[in-house]
Every structure is written in structure tokens, then in C-alpha cells.
Amino acid sequence: MNNLKRLAALALALCMSTAMLTACGGSSTGSVSDDSTEASEETEATQDDAATQETDSEALVMATNATFPPYEYVEGSEYEGIDVEIAGKIAEKLGRTLDIKDVEFDSIIGGVQSGKYDMGMAGMTVTDERKQSVNFSESYATGIQSVIVAQDSEIASVDDLSSDTRIGVQQGTTGDIYASDDYGADAVTAFKNGADATQALLTGKVDCVIIDNEPAKAFVAANEGLKILDTSYTEEEYAICVSKENEELLDEINGALEELKADGSIDEIIEKYIPSDAQ
Ligand code: ARG
């Protein structure tokens, strides 16, 4: 795949205001113990759904970065989103409670490797490089990279991106990695989350944001004056990462995912947050 095509795959977007979060809807599946929605400090939430209350259940600790609607985000005092709900169902099948740690995206893999977290689930794309550090479960969803620009932008397609374009990304994401590969690190500004990158786009500090398509849509919907480039996208696979030392957990997660796919639960959760009639 050539660079432009790959870049075309880059999606972008972000802007995670409370208003936007509210617009995302969804049911409550985990509470935030700390008011802060910042991911810089680890905040914790324990999923208290009755269904997850098993006797003697050791918590399944999930690292995520809850700035990524509709996969994981904070609404009020709750963690919500596709990953949060799927993780809740996996924990339930494993007879464990779910303990969500909201951390910086680029600290998830290291924390999983060191055993600080049992698994990482954060709309995380499977890449060969990451596979050298952690194992990935079967994929449970697909993502696409998109490019967000201002409505009146001179950037009309991915072909207009160059090493002179000021590109905003979320640090450590595939958007960051691909854009840096294709246009050089100097063209890329990495932000802590997509919302910050989107704010930078709104204030003209960057010319575009490359981010996954569904968060891109959420950020564009939450902010006036932005659009997503209509371009040929590249698909990515989202999966859960687990320490290479913990094959047993990987097998358990894959078993749970298989059942949740077979009984329609995963489709149902995805449809709830990404209704197919709105595509
Ligand atoms: N899919 C992209 C990646 O794996 C971005 C994921 C960002 N996720 C998040 N929860 N902030 O690099």
C-alpha cells in the first residue's frame, strides 16, 4: 500500500466536550471514582453491575483511555461505550468484576506488559509492532483512519497532505505512527487525546487531525465548522491486548468473545452506539 493510501486510512477527529459525550448516549456501565476526566492521572472505576457480582471474584483490570467515543468515554460519573460494555460482558463470563483504569493511551501496552493491568481495551488497533510487546485477542471490531479538516480547508483530499501540513494526532496511536512515517515527525503534533487535537484544529494550530473514524464523527458532530475528508479509507482491526505471559487469560478472553459474537451480543452493543441506519 502506498503512503497516500495508507494515509487515506488515517482518520481524525476529536473534540471531546461534555456536550459531545452526552450526545453519544449509552447506558451506564462503570463509575468514575474521580471527577476528573483527564487521563493523565489514573482514575479507577469498578463495574458494579449486579451481573458481575460473583463470589470470590478477583477483578479483571482493564486499562483504557476514556477519551474515545463511542468506544470509551466518560459521561457524568460513568464510563460508557462499546469497549466498556463488551469488557463488562467478558468479565461476567469470567466470573470476575471489571475494574477500569483510565490512563494515557500510550501507557496501556507497557502497563499490560508489566502486569499492572490484566488487559488493554481501547479501540486498540492490532499492529505487527505492538504484537512484539503484547498478545492480541481475536478482533471484535474494525476501525478506519480518517482525516478531519476545517470546513473551509484547502485540504480537499488525502493527496493534499504533505510534510508541510501541520497534522494533529493522539499520541501513540496508529494515526500518530502512520502520519509520522508518511510525512515526517516534524509535520506531526501529538496531543494527549483527540479532543485536544480537535481543539487545536478549531483554533488553527494544526491543519488537520488524523484519528479513527468513529471518534472523528463524534468530534465533528460536537463542533461547528469541521468535516471529515471523503477519502478512501483503510480498515484496521481492534482487539484486546494481554501480556505474553498470560496465555490463559488470552484464551479465556477469546472464548468469551467467541460466545459474545455467536449470541449476537457484540453486534448488539456496536449497533447501540453506531446505529447502522445512521451510517
Ligand atoms: N486505533 C488507534 C490505535 O490503536 C487509536 C486508539 C485510541 N484509543 C483510545 N481509547 N484513545 O492506535
Side-chain angles (χ1 to χ4, degrees), residues 16 65-73 83 122-124 170 173 211-212 215 219 238:
M16 152 116 334
N65 172 252
T67 67
F68 201 69
Y71 297 95
E72 46 266 329
Y73 55 96
D83 290 349
M124 187 179 283
Q170 180 180 11
T173 60
I211 197 168
D212 303 51
F219 294 133
Y238 290 169

Side-chain angles (χ1 to χ4, degrees), residues 63-83:
T64 195
N65 172 252
T67 67
F68 201 69
Y71 297 95
E72 46 266 329
Y73 55 96
V74 176
E75 182 169 312
S77 60
E78 305 293 325
Y79 290 119
E80 295 193 345
I82 293 168
D83 290 349

Side-chain angles (χ1 to χ4, degrees), residues 51 179 213 226 236:
N213 193 47
L226 301 179
E236 302 183 333

